[in-house]
């Protein structure tokens, strides 16, 4: 199946500029986000589940895909579109056995070897980064533009780039064959979340505004 990875919001309640995560997610969707990943590292299982239920009501309303970070159990419990895992989580092949063939499986990768392994293990898409320094994941391995190009050539999976993505660099990736931007603070921390999302999407797609329009 073909999914739209163009603008992929990764949530962070500590950074959001509004009062509730559901409001932040809705504004991001109205601005053009095509996928939402719920990432909650600090919540208890019950709190994460309740937050996932609330966010899914918003994503369902707009027919937007919801991905759950790390927590396979919560992704399955709320019937999310899929789950996203990192290199220190369960192996992708094991996760695929658990979730079956009908849920999306995203895998983080920062090297050609990790990307190829993820594809072989049944991943549906890759999150590649960190492309630039980022405060939201300080332990992330860095990926050069050259390495990104090699990863793109090595795998056929859709790729979203993550890590320090903002309006200053958002336009660099589509010409490289990258499918989307995964963004945290450049959307959710902005005072106008909807406008920030819309601007990033336009920049990624190569649509420059002229004369204010």
């Amino acid at each position: 199946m073909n999914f739209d990875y163009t603008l992929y919001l990764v949530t962070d309640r500590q950074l959001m500029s509004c009062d509730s995560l559901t409001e932040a997610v809705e504004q991001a969707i109205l601005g053009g986000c095509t996928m939402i990943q719920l990432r909650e590292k600090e919540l208890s299982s019950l709190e994460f589940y309740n937050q996932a239920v609330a966010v899914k009501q918003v994503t369902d309303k707009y027919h937007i895909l919801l991905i759950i970070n790390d927590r396979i159990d919560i992704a399955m419990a709320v019937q999310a579109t899929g789950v996203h895992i990192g290199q220190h989580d369960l192996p992708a092949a094991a996760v695929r056995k658990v979730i079956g063939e009908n849920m999306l499986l995203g895998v983080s990768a920062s090297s050609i070897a990790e990307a190829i392994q993820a594809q072989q293990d049944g991943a549906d898409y890759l999150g590649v980064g960190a492309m630039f320094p980022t405060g939201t994941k300080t332990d992330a391995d860095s990926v050069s533009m050259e390495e990104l190009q090699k990863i793109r050539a090595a795998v056929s999976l859709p790729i979203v780039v993550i890590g320090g993505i903002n309006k200053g660099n958002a336009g660099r990736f589509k010409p490289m064959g990258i499918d989307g931007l995964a963004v945290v603070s450049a959307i959710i921390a902005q005072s106008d979340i909807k406008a920030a999302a819309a601007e990033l999407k336009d920049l990624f797609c190569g649509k420059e505004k002229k004369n204010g329009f």
Side-chain angles (χ1 to χ4, degrees):
M1 297 179 68
N2 293 318
F3 297 101
D4 188 350
Y5 295 92
T6 303
L7 192 56
Y8 182 125
L9 174 68
V10 181
T11 68
D12 189 329
R13 293 181 312 119
Q14 303 303 314
L15 294 175
M16 65 186 187
S17 61
C18 52
D19 294 331
S20 73
L21 188 56
T22 51
E23 180 187 352
V25 167
E26 183 164 36
Q27 288 301 306
I29 291 171
L30 291 172
C33 281
T34 55
M35 267 188 177
I36 306 294
Q37 182 191 127
L38 184 61
R39 184 169 71 182
E40 296 295 346
K41 299 289 189 181
E42 309 300 327
L43 293 183
S44 70
S45 293
L46 178 59
E47 290 171 323
F48 194 166
Y49 170 79
N50 287 336
Q51 191 73 79
V53 169
V55 169
K56 190 169 186 293
Q57 290 178 341
V58 178
T59 55
D60 283 354
K61 176 183 176 182
Y62 294 99
H63 306 290
I64 296 294
L65 306 184
L66 175 64
I67 307 296
I68 302 295
N69 180 262
D70 291 349
R71 295 294 300 268
I72 303 165
D73 53 343
I74 290 175
M76 297 180 75
V78 303
Q79 296 184 307
T81 309
V83 64
H84 188 95
I85 59 170
Q87 290 295 319
H88 300 294
D89 298 316
L90 288 174
V95 175
R96 175 56 75 195
K97 289 179 181 178
V98 174
I99 65 175
E101 295 299 321
N102 293 326
M103 287 181 71
L104 271 183
L105 175 56
V107 178
S108 297
S110 58
S111 69
I112 298 172
E114 289 176 356
I116 292 173
Q117 188 66 55
Q119 179 167 272
Q120 291 174 346
D121 288 347
D124 292 300
Y125 74 91
L126 300 177
V128 175
M131 297 309 307
F132 306 102
T134 171
T136 60
K137 197 169 176 62
T138 54
D139 62 340
D141 293 328
S142 61
V143 178
S144 67
M145 297 296 279
E146 291 76 18
E147 183 80 357
L148 175 64
Q149 193 70 73
K150 291 176 182 177
I151 292 171
R152 175 67 289 170
V155 297
S156 59
L157 298 177
I159 292 176
V160 296
V161 287
I162 190 168
I165 304 299
N166 57 44
K167 61 184 180 181
N169 54 45
R172 299 176 64 179
F173 297 99
K174 195 173 182 66
M176 299 174 67
I178 301 306
D179 299 271
L181 307 176
V183 181
V184 188
S185 59
I187 292 177
I188 208 164
Q190 305 308 305
S191 57
D192 190 333
I193 291 173
K194 179 180 175 181
E199 182 176 18
L200 280 174
K201 192 172 187 179
D202 282 348
L203 288 166
F204 174 72
C205 294
K207 300 175 183 176
E208 296 183 11
K209 294 182 179 180
K210 296 180 180 179
N211 301 321
F213 295 99

